[in-house]
């Protein structure tokens, strides 16, 4: 019930913020404090929380770069060294994710506030702050990067976008998607991006080749739960594609976004039928696609129109329903399931 309460709070927050003409950030900040409390003061909650506590606990024996991305390793090592507790360090990583989110909120314009409240928080706030912490940090850095680019701070935006890679290597998929959505496809100089991107991938691979080999082996043996795996994400992505086509963006921008969104969705859903990797990629695109839409509206100097607002709201609701279904289906399973929720993080150590 606590998760449903959070989603209801977001709907009320969106309504109150809309009444102000999206000029105030107060209601959004209060709502985010609620989620911050749930995340930081949680007990054994979040599918991967127990695993993160174990891995971060290992860092108490010394800094080791093998197995996780270097940015996350250094941050976790710093926090566990400072606190002397793996459990506390993991919760402080969640707090760091919210810190970046608050920075994004207080620099946001009308479009960014609407996207955050209608889609980003309903779809990702629980998973990215209480479960997938590495991708959570990377996603927040990507949010800031897109915001920097929207504010014409391109250099710092690129630095932030690339820094997301040291917290989660697969963020490269999101970066490529967003770049492709904003690039002029007929511009010859963009062809140079292909070898540059390839070289970047090789550099990242060489830095932590052991990690990638381990991931490759795990994906080969990790099959998707069923032929319908990822269907929730697919529905959300197709709703976003529909919203793009109904929007008042220029036709060339509509076609570009719809082609990318639909194409990536079909390919990754196909992969998800045989490998867990496809599910991860669908998750990445479901985060990157709205950011690509946001940047396109900004580049065209447009505010979100009614069609895209309705679609973002619908996509956020669908994502929330899909998440809750997953929470309930895994209730009580494993050492740190999402349900039942426990509020006892810092006791018993």
């Amino acid at each position: 019930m606590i998760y449903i309460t959070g989603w209801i709070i977001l709907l009320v927050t969106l309504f109150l913020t809309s009444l102000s003409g999206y000029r105030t950030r107060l209601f959004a900040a209060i709502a985010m404090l609620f989620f911050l409390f749930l995340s930081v003061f949680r007990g054994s909650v979040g599918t991967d929380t127990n695993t993160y506590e174990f891995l971060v606990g290992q860092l108490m024996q010394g800094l080791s770069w093998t197995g996780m991305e270097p940015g996350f390793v250094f941050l976790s090592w710093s926090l566990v060294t400072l606190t002397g507790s793996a459990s506390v360090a993991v919760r402080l990583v969640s707090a760091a994710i919210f810190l970046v989110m608050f920075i994004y909120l207080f620099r946001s314009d009308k479009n960014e506030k609407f996207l955050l409240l209608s889609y980003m928080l309903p779809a990702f706030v629980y998973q990215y702050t209480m479960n997938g912490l590495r991708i959570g940090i990377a996603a927040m850095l990507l949010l800031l990067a897109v915001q920097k680019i929207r504010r014409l701070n391109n250099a710092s935006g690129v630095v932030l976008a690339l820094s997301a890679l040291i917290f989660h290597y697969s963020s490269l998929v999101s970066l490529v998607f967003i770049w492709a959505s904003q690039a002029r496809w007929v511009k010859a100089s963009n062809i140079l991006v292909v070898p540059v991107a390839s070289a970047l991938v090789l550099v990242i691979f060489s830095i932590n080749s052991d990690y990638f080999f381990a991931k490759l082996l795990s994906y080969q043996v990790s099959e998707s739960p069923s032929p319908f795996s990822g269907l929730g994400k697919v529905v959300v992505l197709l709703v976003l594609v529909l919203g793009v086509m109904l929007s008042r963006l220029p036709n060339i921008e509509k076609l570009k976004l719809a082609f990318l969104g639909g194409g990536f969705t079909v390919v990754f859903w196909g992969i998800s039928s045989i490998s867990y990797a496809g599910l991860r990629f669908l998750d990445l695109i479901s985060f990157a696609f709205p950011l690509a839409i946001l940047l396109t509206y900004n580049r065209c100097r447009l505010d979100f129109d009614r069609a895209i607002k309705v679609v973002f709201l619908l996509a956020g609701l669908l994502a929330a329903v899909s998440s809750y279904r997953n929470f309930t289906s895994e209730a009580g399973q494993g050492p740190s399931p999402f349900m039942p929720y426990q509020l006892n993080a810092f006791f018993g150590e």
Side-chain angles (χ1 to χ4, degrees), residues 199-214:
L200 180 62
V201 171
L202 290 175
V203 169
I204 294 173
F205 185 87
S206 64
I207 290 174
N208 207 346
S209 57
D210 291 342
Y211 170 87
F212 281 102
F213 282 126

Side-chain angles (χ1 to χ4, degrees), residues 91-105:
R91 272 70 182 180
L92 288 179
V93 171
S94 297
I97 294 172
F98 276 102
L99 175 62
V100 179
M101 205 183 302
F102 274 107
I103 294 173
Y104 179 83
L105 172 64

Side-chain angles (χ1 to χ4, degrees), residues 175-185 256 260 264:
L175 297 184
V176 170
F177 184 94
I178 293 173
W179 169 81
S181 73
Q182 304 306 304
R184 291 175 57 189
W185 291 3
K256 184 192 296 185
L260 287 171
F264 273 70

Side-chain angles (χ1 to χ4, degrees), residues 219-287:
Y219 284 152
Q220 286 177 336
V221 299
S222 298
E223 296 183 356
S224 298
S226 76
F228 299 102
S229 295
L231 186 59
K233 291 291 184 184
V234 170
V235 171
V236 168
L237 286 164
L238 292 180
V239 167
L240 293 175
V241 170
L242 175 63
V244 166
M245 296 307 297
L246 295 175
S247 72
R248 59 189 180 99
L249 286 171
N251 288 334
I252 187 64
E253 301 295 344
K254 289 182 183 180
L255 292 174
K256 184 192 296 185
L257 287 170
F259 175 79
L260 287 171
F264 273 70
T265 299
V266 170
V267 170
F268 290 152
W269 191 27
I271 295 175
S272 71
S273 65
I274 58 174
S275 170
Y276 180 81
L279 299 179
R280 169 58 68 191
F281 293 148
L282 284 173
D283 184 69
L284 292 168
I285 296 304
S286 68
F287 188 87

